[in-house]
Amino acid sequence: MSVSDQELIARVVARKDQHAFSQLVLRYQSQLRIWARRLCDGDTHLADDLAQETFIKAYAALGAFRAEAKFSTWLYRIAFNIAANRWRGKKVQWCELDDNEDVEAELCELKQFDAKRDVEAAMQHLSAAQQLAIRLCFEDGFSHDEAASIMGVPRGTLKTHVSRGKQKLQTLLASWSQVA
């Protein structure tokens, strides 16, 4: 039976239980590394550094975690803040999500490949905030409240970013759907 995040967090805070924290790291490291790669324009080494720094900061600040949001939301927010501080003033570049040469061609239908490529190309025409909001809500499955918390913006602002981003994508991809 799996131990809850809250119980693991309580053990870390009360007893500095490193084994409990390592269970949290194992539980969230893959998701966080994927998220970090997006923040680092696909640079896996930089993303690994960002993920490691995130877990170090999370361990140090775990006593301040108030559980008002999910633990994963809190981790993503820490990673976002670290990246924002590191690259303040630089435009965030997003990597291609499906830029994976290891996937055999016969496993993907040509239309799906083209569609994904077109969506990624269209995403590049959105503002960084719109891209982030759409990726958090639709790719990572966060609720509007959680995504707003990660981005550090009010819920209404997040919903505006999502709505405007979706409208722009719809316009940009309209010609593709007519061809398909």
Side-chain angles (χ1 to χ4, degrees), residues 1-171:
M1 183 168 187
S2 180
V3 180
S4 73
D5 289 352
Q6 293 302 328
E7 187 175 331
L8 291 170
I9 291 166
R11 288 180 7 203
V12 173
V13 171
R15 299 186 296 245
K16 297 290 184 205
D17 185 342
Q18 292 181 353
H19 177 71
F21 189 74
S22 70
Q23 288 179 311
L24 289 168
V25 170
L26 288 173
R27 193 172 286 175
Y28 292 104
Q29 71 181 349
S30 293
Q31 295 169 339
L32 186 64
R33 287 180 69 229
I34 290 168
W35 169 248
R37 266 185 251 136
R38 290 181 185 156
L39 292 175
C40 298
D41 192 27
D43 184 331
T44 56
H45 298 294
L46 198 54
D48 288 346
D49 289 347
L50 177 61
Q52 182 177 3
E53 188 174 344
T54 299
F55 282 116
I56 290 169
K57 286 190 183 271
Y59 183 78
L62 204 53
F65 177 64
R66 297 185 308 262
E68 294 171 356
K70 291 191 295 187
F71 181 70
S72 60
T73 303
W74 187 67
L75 278 177
Y76 275 55
R77 182 66 191 165
I78 292 171
F80 182 79
N81 285 342
I82 292 168
N85 287 338
R86 220 180 250 184
W87 299 291
R88 195 164 306 280
K90 291 184 180 179
K91 183 179 179 205
V92 176
Q93 297 289 321
W94 297 100
C95 64
E96 293 286 327
L97 291 181
D98 293 310
D99 189 20
N100 186 354
E101 292 85 25
D102 297 334
V103 177
E104 294 180 26
E106 63 264 15
L107 296 178
C108 296
E109 292 181 29
L110 187 57
K111 283 185 179 182
Q112 287 178 327
F113 178 76
D114 287 342
K116 289 177 183 178
R117 188 181 62 214
D118 290 346
V119 169
E120 276 305 316
M123 287 288 285
Q124 300 306 312
H125 293 280
L126 304 181
S127 71
Q130 290 169 347
Q131 287 182 43
L132 181 58
I134 287 172
R135 291 184 193 280
L136 284 169
C137 293
F138 295 103
E139 292 175 8
D140 298 325
F142 285 104
S143 70
H144 285 147
D145 288 333
E146 292 166 337
S149 176
I150 289 168
M151 290 180 66
V153 298
R155 183 174 189 248
T157 301
L158 178 276
K159 289 176 85 174
T160 299
H161 290 317
V162 169
S163 177
R164 289 182 181 163
K166 282 172 50 179
Q167 287 172 347
K168 194 166 189 178
L169 285 173
Q170 188 174 24
T171 301

